[in-house]
Amino acid sequence: DVKVTQSSRYLVKRTGEKVFLECVQDMDHENMFWYRQDPGLGLRLIYFSYDVKMKEKGDIPEGYSVSREKKERFSLILESASTNQTSMYLCASSFGRKGAEQFFGPGTRLTVL
Amino acid sequence: TQLLEQSPQFLSIQEGENLTVYCNSSSVFSSLQWYRQEPGEGPVLLVTVVTGGEVKKLKRLTFQFGDARKDSSLHITAAQPGDTGLYLCAGTPNTGNQFYFGTGTSLTVIP
């Protein structure tokens, strides 16, 4: 079974803190994605990566950065957390072809106070 | 404006009723996927539709891809409480490489 794991299920941080969200997949997928999910807005893509050390901006990259030093790991970084970044963060991975099925982790519920 | 708009946003029905969820776009997609997300979990793929006009069935769920490949629908027959969840359509438009999710439909089936 494909497994995508995220470092935390729940996280509470203070405004201005630096936040790291880690995602690891065990299926040797080329593609990895970070989304945030908010009610009524569905899933919005923050960043994605098609290969190691490669990253592309999604729809809402402002306030976020990413790192992909190894194929299996994709990290999302909030340089200075703000209250409007309170959300559910979902990591996903997929094989390299366009439109391939995405496999998701369980999500991290981040609250910024 | 989202690339993929779903309707309705919320749906609450009694067990045994039928329902249809819609996913619409102004863009053409080579394929569309439907995912279901249960509380506390990530979305899980239900089906992929590829050909315009295609109909796929998954037990009591029927998925249809529009002839012009700009829209899709999900019909559930005799809904069960286990169908409760968030339903999301998703895909990559022909003109780009980014994968988009729809706005989602939250379904509650009351026993």
Side-chain angles (χ1 to χ4, degrees), chain B residues 8 10-20 76-81 83-84 106-111:
Chain B
F10 298 98
L11 195 52
S12 183
I13 62 170
Q14 293 292 134
E15 181 175 358
E17 292 184 354
N18 302 331
L19 66 115
T20 302
I76 301 179
T77 303
Q80 303 293 312
D83 296 327
T84 293
S106 179
L107 171 65
T108 302
V109 181
I110 303 164

Side-chain angles (χ1 to χ4, degrees), chain A residues 3-53:
Chain A
K3 196 163 186 181
V4 180
T5 57
Q6 294 184 228
S7 50
S8 305
R9 292 298 295 266
Y10 300 93
L11 209 52
V12 179
K13 295 291 183 180
R14 296 207 173 270
T15 301
E17 281 192 81
K18 191 169 185 176
V19 182
F20 292 88
L21 301 182
E22 302 284 338
C23 175
V24 179
Q25 52 95 3
D26 66 359
M27 278 300 290
D28 203 33
H29 284 167
E30 292 86 357
N31 306 330
M32 296 190 75
F33 308 83
W34 274 106
Y35 296 90
R36 64 176 283 175
Q37 184 173 27
D38 301 286
L41 297 176
L43 274 69
R44 292 181 293 166
L45 183 63
I46 305 171
Y47 269 95
F48 59 102
S49 170
Y50 286 149
D51 201 352
V52 176
K53 296 191 185 294

Side-chain angles (χ1 to χ4, degrees), chain B residues 41-111:
Chain B
E41 302 295 332
V44 175
L45 181 69
L46 294 173
V47 78
T48 302
V49 285
V50 177
T51 307
E54 179 179 7
V55 176
K56 277 192 175 178
K57 292 195 173 186
L58 190 66
K59 297 183 180 177
R60 293 176 293 100
L61 279 61
T62 301
F63 304 85
Q64 184 161 8
F65 200 11
D67 291 340
R69 293 186 287 128
K70 292 183 177 182
D71 56 271
S72 181
S73 64
L74 157 60
H75 182 79
I76 301 179
T77 303
Q80 303 293 312
D83 296 327
T84 293
L86 179 68
Y87 289 82
L88 295 155
C89 62
T92 301
N94 281 1
T95 54
N97 287 315
Q98 186 172 320
F99 196 77
Y100 291 91
F101 277 86
T103 48
T105 295
S106 179
L107 171 65
T108 302
V109 181
I110 303 164

